[in-house]
């Protein structure tokens, strides 16, 4: 499963699309209000929620592959709706 880690100078989020989230047996309520969501999926906050995604994949034997996208400005993710 390919996932993208988005970051700005202050924080980071692991993006999981809706189909991937379902395949991992999770939904938006599986994450805290520190994570964000939109119509395409969730952006799991790096400090407490990304591990929920990683552990779910590990429990199911799903291998994860990561790419990274960084911006030096405040990330647009911060303007999305919160999960939880």
């Amino acid at each position: 499963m390919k996932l993208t880690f988005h970051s700005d100078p202050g924080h980071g989020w692991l993006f999981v699309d809706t189909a991937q989230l379902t395949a991992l047996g999770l939904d938006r309520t599986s994450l805290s209000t520190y994570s964000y969501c939109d119509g395409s999926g969730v952006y799991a906050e790096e400090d407490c929620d990304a591990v929920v995604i990683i552990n779910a994949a590990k429990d199911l034997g799903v291998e994860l592959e990561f790419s990274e996208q960084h911006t030096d400005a405040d990330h647009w993710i911060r303007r999305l709706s919160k999960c939880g």
Side-chain angles (χ1 to χ4, degrees):
M1 184 178 289
K2 294 180 181 182
L3 304 177
T4 303
F5 182 75
H6 296 269
S7 62
D8 65 17
H11 223 63
W13 305 268
L14 186 61
F15 176 71
V16 184
D17 72 34
T18 302
Q20 292 169 324
L21 199 63
T22 300
L24 295 174
L26 302 171
D27 62 31
R28 294 168 191 217
T29 64
S30 304
L31 305 178
S32 74
T33 57
Y34 295 111
S35 293
Y36 296 92
C37 55
D38 64 12
S40 61
V42 299
Y43 299 83
E45 188 272 338
E46 68 182 338
D47 293 327
C48 63
D49 289 335
V51 70
V52 172
I53 304 298
I54 293 166
N55 285 342
K58 182 178 178 181
D59 291 347
L60 294 171
V62 175
E63 286 192 38
L64 298 177
E65 181 181 327
F66 301 97
S67 62
E68 184 173 355
Q69 291 186 353
H70 177 79
T71 181
D72 288 330
D74 272 354
H75 210 293
W76 53 263
I77 289 171
R78 295 177 183 274
R79 294 185 294 277
L80 298 176
S81 299
K82 296 209 176 218
C83 292

